[in-house]
Amino acid sequence: MDIQLLEDEKIDDLQYKGLKIIQKNKAFRFGLDAVLLANFVDVKKGSSVIDLGTGTGIISILLAGKTEASSIVGLEIQEDIAEMASRSVKMNCLEDRVKIVCGDIKESVSLFGASSFDVVVTNPPYMNRGGGIINLSDTKAISRHEILCTLEDVIKAASKLLVPGGQFAMVHRPDRLVDIIWLMRNYSIEPKYIRFVHPSPYKKPNLILIKGSRQGRPQLKMMDPLYVYDENGNYSKEINEIYCRGQ
């Protein structure tokens, strides 16, 4: 399928079931965290899923390839990024299952209705805005800093969008773990699983994967750590399996 590329755009191969994605060279580009989250979340056959802050659409597109979800919505506030993500969906012929919507996470319940999704997944901005000078129109800054939405905005919206018993899954930084657990419980999402992601053995984690259940019973399980590289500096066996690489 012929897809028009705009200035500074390129097509990247996701190396999974022939899926591809359009990205801007000078804008925020997806990383390992998005791939890990798409592999971490549990999506049952026929589920309805929403990806809050979808960006390039990477998680929505990967979930369409990895799961049998009946419908996946990617919500993105930046109009140009949402339009680019829509072209990626079309390029992969996923229009029947994936829809990109331009809108604000804080208005998501008004857009879609309460208790309208089985699964909410998100790779939100990691950094507090703080006191530094930030270009509010910079797509990289918007993707990395809590400029247009906060961690609380994301978790609050997720709680309202989920059906009772629905799953919330997120990737974030370990230094926000206390905030994450407190906010999840405050908005009736019970943390169920946590997994720390380490660059390599003996190095401290730099990512966390966490999932919980709306109105779930208290029981938190710590999963085995995930190492990106092994002791020899090669990708670990599990990372190669996630990326479907031959051994």
Side-chain angles (χ1 to χ4, degrees), residues 55 58 93 141 190 214 220 224:
I58 175 63
C93 301
E190 185 62 29
R214 183 188 169 197
L220 178 61
D224 290 338

Side-chain angles (χ1 to χ4, degrees), residues 49-158:
V49 182
I50 185 167
D51 174 18
L52 298 179
T54 194
T56 61
I58 175 63
I59 294 174
S60 296
I61 290 170
L62 282 175
L63 288 180
K66 288 176 174 287
T67 76
E68 295 183 79
S70 61
S71 65
I72 302 169
V73 174
L75 182 63
E76 173 56 44
I77 194 170
Q78 300 176 84
E79 187 174 350
D80 59 330
I81 302 298
E83 189 277 333
M84 183 177 69
S86 293
R87 282 184 282 126
S88 288
V89 170
K90 185 176 181 181
M91 178 175 61
N92 288 289
C93 301
L94 293 172
E95 302 101 310
D96 60 330
R97 295 175 61 214
V98 182
K99 181 181 180 182
I100 305 297
V101 176
C102 185
D104 191 335
I105 289 173
K106 298 189 290 292
E107 304 296 329
S108 56
V109 180
S110 298
L111 288 171
F112 306 106
S115 301
S116 51
F117 293 95
D118 300 304
V119 178
V120 174
V121 63
T122 184
N123 180 8
Y126 293 152
M127 304 177 191
N128 286 318
R129 182 171 171 180
I133 298 174
I134 298 174
N135 182 351
L136 301 186
S137 64
D138 184 343
T139 60
K140 288 185 179 180
I142 290 170
S143 298
R144 292 169 176 165
H145 297 261
E146 294 181 348
I147 296 172
L148 299 182
C149 71
T150 64
L151 179 61
E152 182 169 9
D153 291 331
V154 173
I155 294 175
K156 180 180 180 181

Side-chain angles (χ1 to χ4, degrees), residues 160-179:
K160 292 182 177 180
L161 291 168
L162 281 171
V163 299
Q167 185 181 115
F168 171 70
M170 177 171 62
V171 60
H172 216 290
R173 294 283 178 85
D175 58 7
R176 300 297 303 277
L177 181 56
V178 174
D179 295 333

Side-chain angles (χ1 to χ4, degrees), residues 2 5 18 27 35 39 49 82 84 100 155 161 176 211 227 247:
D2 292 331
L5 295 180
V35 177
N39 188 74
V49 182
M84 183 177 69
I100 305 297
I155 294 175
L161 291 168
R176 300 297 303 277
K211 53 189 172 186
Y227 301 110
Q247 297 297 304

Side-chain angles (χ1 to χ4, degrees), residues 203-222:
K203 289 191 175 181
K204 64 182 181 180
N206 57 359
L207 289 173
I208 54 168
L209 295 161
I210 186 166
K211 53 189 172 186
S213 175
R214 183 188 169 197
Q215 300 175 349
R217 295 180 179 180
Q219 185 180 31
L220 178 61
K221 296 181 180 179
M222 302 295 295

